[in-house]
């Protein structure tokens, strides 16, 4: 039986998802070089889908492209974490408010919370954490708002994975997740939003205490 060649767009998507998963699970570490030829050989494809996948990942913030150094996995530092979490603080609470007020089902959030609790390592837990937050904001009723949050969710997952590897605090975050979901399921939009704001702000402040806000200090 003759095999049918996989179209380049499908190969690109396959490589894209594979590299993303390897970054978010720590198999590819921050700062690691992503060599097109090596990745192409590993995945059994030409360099074209690898190149396109890396360009897309650069657009989502997981990969850095340099004219001289080529592609590398993005390094997580305090500035990067603060940028990502500032965007989340601006957008995610409002998305959650709309989700709760719409009465949307949150089965996916409950499932993600269970997966996070059953996770074998911080990488799996970070992926489940990413899915939990997406399940809360995606039903907000504004597709553009959902897409904007999707653009930073991979970077947020990378921040959490790196932070937990250095200083595990996932049990605290898991408790906060349970409280956010409890309030959301109870229809308490204001309570859920307040808990989410505290959750997002406190995580980056604990992970990167040197970035604590100095607002109001003159």
């Amino acid at each position: 039986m003759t095999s049918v060649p996989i179209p380049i767009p499908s190969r690109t998507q396959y490589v894209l998802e594979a590299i993303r998963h390897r970054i978010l699970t720590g198999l590819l570490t921050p700062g690691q070089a992503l060599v097109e030829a090596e990745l192409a050989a590993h995945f059994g494809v030409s360099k074209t889908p690898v190149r396109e996948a890396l360009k897309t990942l650069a657009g989502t913030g997981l990969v850095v492209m340099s004219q001289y150094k080529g592609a590398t996995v993005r390094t997580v530092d305090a500035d990067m974490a603060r940028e990502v979490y500032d965007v989340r603080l601006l957008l995610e609470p409002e998305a959650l408010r709309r989700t709760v007020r719409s009465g949307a089902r949150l089965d996916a959030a409950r499932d993600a919370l269970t997966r996070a609790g059953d996770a074998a390592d911080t990488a799996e837990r970070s992926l489940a954490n990413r899915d939990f937050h997406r399940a809360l904001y995606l039903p907000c009723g504004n597709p553009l708002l959902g897409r904007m949050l999707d653009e930073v969710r991979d970077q947020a997952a990378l921040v959490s994975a790196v932070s937990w590897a250095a200083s595990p605090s996932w049990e605290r975050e898991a408790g906060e997740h349970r409280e956010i979901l409890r309030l959301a399921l109870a229809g308490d939009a204001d309570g859920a939003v307040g808990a989410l704001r505290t959750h997002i702000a406190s995580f980056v402040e604990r992970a990167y205490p040197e970035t604590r806000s100095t607002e109001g200090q003159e």
Side-chain angles (χ1 to χ4, degrees):
M1 182 175 180
T2 303
S3 62
V4 179
I6 302 174
I8 287 180
S10 297
R11 278 178 269 170
T12 299
Q13 188 63 31
Y14 163 71
V15 173
L16 170 64
E17 294 300 332
I19 295 175
R20 174 188 282 125
H21 187 268
R22 282 164 172 74
I23 291 174
L24 294 180
T25 55
L27 294 177
L28 294 171
T29 58
Q32 183 172 342
L34 301 170
V35 182
E36 288 182 11
E38 293 178 357
L39 291 170
H42 177 78
F43 294 117
V45 299
S46 69
K47 290 195 291 185
T48 298
V50 173
R51 186 177 303 116
E52 293 305 312
L54 292 177
K55 287 180 181 178
T56 300
L57 291 169
T60 66
L62 287 184
V63 169
V64 176
M65 306 286 284
S66 169
Q67 181 179 356
Y68 303 105
K69 295 183 179 180
T72 58
V73 179
R74 185 169 185 179
T75 299
V76 175
D77 58 22
D79 289 339
M80 179 270 199
R82 174 58 64 187
E83 289 174 3
V84 171
Y85 276 69
D86 276 351
V87 171
R88 292 185 64 195
L89 276 171
L90 287 170
L91 300 179
E92 199 168 329
E94 178 58 27
L96 176 59
R97 184 189 305 279
R98 297 184 181 202
T99 293
V100 175
R101 287 181 173 175
S102 74
R105 293 182 63 87
L106 296 174
D107 295 342
R110 186 186 290 108
D111 291 344
L113 198 57
T114 299
R115 284 194 290 114
D118 295 339
D121 55 38
T122 57
E124 289 183 17
R125 192 170 295 114
S126 181
L127 291 172
N129 172 72
R130 182 183 72 151
D131 291 342
F132 172 79
H133 281 276
R134 190 170 194 258
L136 294 179
Y137 69 68
L138 202 60
C140 68
N142 185 324
L144 178 58
L145 180 55
R147 288 196 298 272
M148 292 172 70
L149 282 163
D150 271 351
E151 289 184 2
V152 299
R153 73 183 181 123
D154 282 348
Q155 296 176 63
L158 181 60
V159 170
S160 66
V162 171
S163 298
W164 284 338
S167 179
S169 62
W170 64 268
E171 289 185 352
R172 174 170 179 168
E173 277 86 56
E176 293 170 356
H177 283 175
R178 288 191 292 270
E179 178 64 6
I180 293 167
L181 183 59
R182 183 189 70 78
L183 292 166
L185 289 172
D188 184 352
D190 290 340
V193 166
L196 178 62
R197 285 185 182 279
T198 299
H199 168 69
I200 294 173
S202 63
F203 176 79
V204 74
E205 289 175 356
R206 288 195 302 273
Y208 299 95
E210 69 272 20
T211 66
R212 293 183 188 278
S213 173
T214 57
E215 185 177 350
Q217 297 180 9
E218 303 257 299

